[in-house]
Amino acid sequence: MKVEEKIKEYEKGIKKVLITAEEIQAAIKKAGERIDAIYDGRPILLVSILKGAFVFMADICRAVHVPCEIGFMCAKSYYEGTQSSGVVKITMDLDRDISGYHVVIVEDIVDTGRTLNDITKILKDRNPVSLRVVTLLDKPSRRLVDFKADVSLFTIPDYFVIGYGLDCAEKYRNLPYIAEFGE
Ligand code: PRP
């Protein structure tokens, strides 16, 4: 298969662009201003939940102006496909004690809510000064546990979405926009 054919095959999974790169950047700018207003000059620790939030983290950390440190955790709840396994597993933990920090969890999507429900409980037990959650996407129609992010940039319908960090079987994370996945 030629390179062009391979790329075309890959692009078949991109059914429809739902949120453009420009719309994402405009929303991030506003979210950064909101975070600045909430913390009012106090230092924060941004905690990104990998892998999905890695692109959002890179942009949101540059949109805030309060003193800022960053940290990473890895949690998995979906494996090789579009169905939730119903299991949230922390596969990589933070490298520091978060007591004394205003912690802001940076997530790409709240779907059933299980991942953030579990992670916020785990982090609250570690006694941060405060704990808030910012999510790029929210799919409230899929919620299985009662969870609400403090800052949510886009509410979306129940589409399987890819791009801007989100994957389907680990592919499409590099797209600069959010698209509906379809074959
Ligand atoms: C996705 C996403 C969230 C979680 C949301 O992660 O990044 O962390 O699912 O789903 P929930 O609200 O139903 O718990 P995933 O487990 O697919 O791992 P990834 O970030 O490595 O893609």
Side-chain angles (χ1 to χ4, degrees):
M1 216 193 264
K2 284 186 187 154
V3 177
E4 296 81 19
E5 286 168 348
K6 283 183 188 163
I7 293 172
K8 263 202 176 137
E9 190 62 31
Y10 182 63
E11 287 177 345
K12 271 188 191 164
I14 307 165
K15 193 171 169 188
K16 190 183 169 200
V17 176
L18 299 175
I19 309 170
T20 65
E22 291 73 23
E23 288 168 332
I24 294 171
Q25 292 309 320
I28 287 176
K29 188 169 183 292
K30 278 192 195 159
E33 287 165 3
R34 217 168 134 203
I35 293 169
D36 284 346
I38 292 171
Y39 293 97
D40 195 25
R42 284 169 295 177
I44 58 173
L45 171 66
L46 292 175
V47 173
S48 168
I49 311 300
L50 297 173
K51 299 178 193 169
F54 82 104
V55 183
F56 183 38
M57 176 68 149
D59 283 341
I60 196 82
C61 75
R62 288 178 291 174
V64 297
H65 302 92
V66 290
C68 173
E69 293 179 36
I70 60 168
F72 297 94
M73 281 178 91
C74 195
K76 289 233 68 93
S77 62
Y78 293 77
Y79 303 99
E80 297 292 317
T82 59
Q83 292 300 309
S84 168
S85 65
V87 178
V88 176
K89 200 175 154 202
I90 293 182
T91 53
M92 186 188 87
D93 209 338
L94 287 165
D95 61 359
R96 75 190 81 178
D97 176 7
I98 61 167
S99 61
Y101 280 100
H102 289 283
V103 174
V104 182
I105 299 176
V106 174
E107 182 59 295
D108 54 321
I109 187 165
V110 185
D111 190 342
T112 66
R114 284 181 181 131
T115 304
L116 280 177
N117 199 46
D118 285 11
I119 288 177
T120 51
K121 272 187 198 148
I122 291 166
L123 294 189
K124 265 182 197 158
D125 283 348
R126 299 181 188 176
N127 298 315
V129 181
S130 69
L131 181 68
R132 288 189 175 85
V133 174
V134 54
T135 185
L136 177 73
L137 304 174
D138 188 9
K139 242 195 229 181
S141 60
R142 291 257 309 162
R143 210 67 102 244
L144 292 177
V145 295
D146 186 19
F147 182 86
K148 200 172 179 302
D150 300 281
V151 179
S152 166
L153 280 61
F154 299 96
T155 299
I156 59 166
D158 186 15
Y159 297 139
F160 191 88
V161 284
I162 51 172
Y164 198 76
L166 290 100
D167 72 311
C168 179
E170 296 299 330
K171 295 194 184 73
Y172 304 104
R173 293 191 196 271
N174 60 320
L175 300 176
Y177 47 77
I178 300 286
E180 182 184 3
F181 173 76
E183 284 169 310

